[in-house]
Amino acid sequence: MELERRGVVAPLVVTETFLPLVQAQARARRVEPRLVVVPHPVGGLNEAELAGRIEGAAAELLRMADEARGGA
Amino acid sequence: MSTDWDVVVVGAGIAGLTAARVAAEHGLRVVAYDRLTPGGQLVNLTALHEHPGGTGPELVAALTAAAEGAGVRLAYAEVTRVHPGSPVRLETSGGEVTAGAVVVATGLGPGRLGLPGEEALARRGVSTCAGCDGPLFRGRAVAVVGDDEWTAEEALELAGWASAVTVLVPGQPRWSPDRAARLAAAERVEVVPDATVTALRGEGVLSGVVVRTADGERALAVAGLFPFVGRRGPEGLVEGLAADAQGRLVPSGGVLVAGDARAGAEQSLTAAEADGRAAGEAALGALAASSGSLRIVDPTHGVLPEVDAAPVGAGSTATWTDVALFTNSKPNATELLRGLGERLQAHWGLPELGFAAKENASVAAEKDTIDWLSQRFKMVLVAVGD
Ligand SMILES: Cc1cc2nc3c(=O)[nH]c(=O)nc-3n(C[C@H](O)[C@H](O)[C@H](O)COP(=O)(O)OP(=O)(O)OC[C@H]3O[C@@H](n4cnc5c(N)ncnc54)[C@H](O)[C@@H]3O)c2cc1C
């Protein structure tokens, strides 16, 4: 979040469970983070499960990245 | 007496956030400092027992919103020393501040056995967070050291992943009959009372522990070790304040102490919240006493403070080909980032990606790393908040 404050586009990958916490932190730091939300958990997943998380999040990330680049 | 703040709260766990909110609701100018992130121990708790707050992160969100709604300012800095008096002076990593009253709510440090090699094995088998690291031990044996209610809950949570959970109790368990029954019914859990861990085994990563019981010493092969003993309070933080044997502070001389950091605290969410509420009320009383009977309160309380400053560019000359990954080194975070980074690399035809890592998820990122990333890169993909 400090990176966004400094003008860097910094998408943050966060799991559903931790979304409320990250949002609270963002409010406290007065930043609007770009969040890529994935199902919880991430730790402990095997390779195939992890590939599924990557697959699920990639489209949203690419959209966000294109939008940031386009809007710059 | 003119001070920077009416009340400074040290530590924004459940006790500190509650104390800060209550004081702010009385119209006081309140700042709550945390060296990490608001929430404290709650951040590590996926399931809450004996508290109706939902999950840990949900409760943190609610507590933070309530505190901010009341006008509390949350600040990110470590308080390194408190000098009681009128005013109270606090040394912080962001400079010195003064206040009319202080509430110390720093909680306790992480569990420690105090054995050689323990620090080096932290997050290489030694952990104090079942919710965070439990999945790493899927199908492997782990040991838990402790004797209280939360040790029992952590052991039961770990049994959902590990092949075997040995609970090493330094003396006799202090948990309730209900938890004893649940532990006894859990197939993969064994409770060993009067057990002392005397050594850790492992090169680079933990491979086992040596345990002494009345029957003598034996080696126990485990991939994970979760110590919930040896947690210490903020002894020495406040000039002149006495501490108990566990380093927890004894409130006196107008210094308020709330939550786990207080000598005699029960160490539960409900107790810490009640303590925080009482400290918030007491802060009002302490200020009234120090300034005579008339107190002018801040009429703007409840109004969110102004936005600090517009986002600042760091004078960076980075372009859209300068993209980096920044991992907090949580399990699988780096792998997840690399996978997503590859997609972006292919999508934008990027020649390469920068990379930075925070060694440990539970410490704040180093300023040097943030400086480097913000000057060198246009976009930084960060993971993982879990
Ligand atoms: C494994 C485990 C499981 C638990 N499960 C439960 C449960 O299910 N139900 C229940 O009721 N209780 C549970 N508890 C107990 C409960 O979590 C604690 O009693 C409670 O969270 C304590 O809150 P606190 O605000 O006093 O301290 P903490 O939550 O520890 O917060 C202290 C804060 O102070 C900050 N801090 C420390 N020093 C400084 C400094 N010098 N400067 C700035 N900031 C500082 C820290 O970063 C932290 O954010 C559990 C405890 C453990 C260890």
Side-chain angles (χ1 to χ4, degrees):
Chain A
M1 289 186 209
E2 179 57 25
L3 288 168
E4 288 271 358
R5 284 182 77 97
R6 298 199 193 185
V8 180
V9 175
L12 171 65
V13 186
V14 53
T15 65
E16 281 160 355
T17 311
F18 275 73
L19 184 60
L21 175 61
V22 170
Q23 285 168 331
Q25 285 174 9
R27 269 197 308 278
R29 291 185 186 218
R30 294 174 179 76
V31 289
E32 268 187 45
R34 292 164 224 258
L35 299 175
V36 179
V37 184
V38 297
H40 191 77
V42 168
L45 297 185
N46 62 32
E47 231 172 89
E49 291 165 332
L50 196 62
R53 293 282 195 280
I54 293 168
E55 194 57 45
E60 174 60 9
L61 172 70
L62 298 185
R63 191 198 57 72
M64 201 178 270
D66 284 341
E67 189 183 286
R69 189 168 67 166
Chain B
M1 179 177 68
S2 137
T3 55
D4 298 322
W5 299 94
D6 291 326
V7 183
V8 172
V9 176
V10 187
I14 189 169
L17 286 170
T18 306
R21 173 183 60 76
V22 169
E25 281 170 353
H26 284 295
L28 301 178
R29 298 171 301 136
V30 185
V31 62
Y33 279 98
D34 205 291
R35 62 179 167 201
L36 216 48
T37 131
Q41 183 60 36
L42 272 176
V43 173
N44 289 336
L45 303 180
T46 29
L48 302 182
H49 308 280
E50 293 164 31
H51 192 280
T55 67
E58 279 166 4
L59 183 55
V60 176
L63 290 166
T64 311
E68 287 204 298
V72 172
R73 180 61 175 274
L74 295 176
Y76 294 86
E78 175 161 10
V79 175
T80 48
R81 188 88 168 137
V82 179
H83 304 276
S86 187
V88 183
R89 274 191 315 112
L90 297 101
E91 295 171 33
T92 83
S93 53
E96 196 172 295
V97 292
T98 55
V102 63
V103 178
V104 179
T106 56
L108 301 176
R112 285 278 176 271
L113 297 170
L115 292 172
E118 190 173 357
E119 294 298 325
L121 290 169
R123 293 194 70 86
R124 290 181 167 80
V126 177
S127 166
T128 52
C129 179
C132 326
D133 294 335
L136 287 181
F137 301 104
R138 185 164 16 195
R140 301 158 83 191
V142 301
V144 175
V145 185
D147 61 2
D148 65 0
E149 304 285 2
W150 314 130
T151 303
E153 288 295 348
E154 295 280 292
L156 288 163
E157 187 168 350
L158 285 167
W161 303 96
S163 57
V165 181
T166 309
V167 188
L168 302 166
V169 185
Q172 290 299 312
R174 293 187 292 137
W175 48 69
S176 62
D178 168 53
R179 286 205 170 83
R182 282 167 57 215
L183 287 168
E187 257 177 33
R188 301 184 198 162
V189 179
E190 185 196 1
V191 177
V192 184
D194 293 318
T196 310
V197 179
T198 56
L200 306 178
R201 295 272 180 261
E203 295 293 321
V205 290
L206 183 79
S207 59
V209 295
V210 179
V211 183
R212 190 175 58 224
T213 60
D215 303 332
E217 276 198 342
R218 67 175 165 121
L220 182 67
V222 288
L225 176 68
F226 292 76
F228 296 108
V229 292
R231 302 183 66 206
R232 303 222 28 109
E235 188 173 13
L237 178 66
V238 183
E239 192 186 331
L241 212 61
D244 70 4
Q246 289 156 266
R248 301 179 301 175
L249 302 181
V250 181
S252 75
V255 177
L256 301 164
V257 185
D260 283 6
R262 184 175 57 75
E266 184 190 301
Q267 292 177 27
S268 74
L269 293 169
T270 307
E273 204 169 8
D275 235 23
R277 205 172 300 121
E281 296 288 351
L284 184 71
L287 282 164
S290 68
S291 63
S293 57
L294 177 67
R295 231 210 100 66
I296 299 168
V297 297
D298 174 5
T300 63
H301 93 270
V303 178
L304 272 182
E306 293 282 298
V307 173
D308 290 0
V312 279
S316 158
T317 53
T319 69
W320 286 104
T321 53
D322 299 318
V323 176
L325 310 177
F326 183 28
T327 172
N328 64 1
S329 304
K330 280 203 176 178
N332 272 340
T334 308
E335 292 76 3
L336 180 70
L337 266 183
R338 289 215 188 274
L340 287 170
E342 277 167 21
R343 294 300 181 88
L344 188 65
Q345 206 175 354
H347 186 63
W348 280 2
L350 301 172
E352 59 177 7
L353 296 175
F355 182 79
K358 200 164 82 159
E359 260 194 22
N360 182 336
S362 54
V363 297
E366 291 204 2
K367 188 174 169 298
D368 286 355
T369 313
I370 299 290
D371 284 349
W372 176 70
L373 286 169
S374 61
Q375 274 157 28
R376 176 71 188 72
F377 297 98
K378 185 82 179 169
M379 176 162 156
V380 177
L381 181 57
V382 187
V384 51
D386 89 330

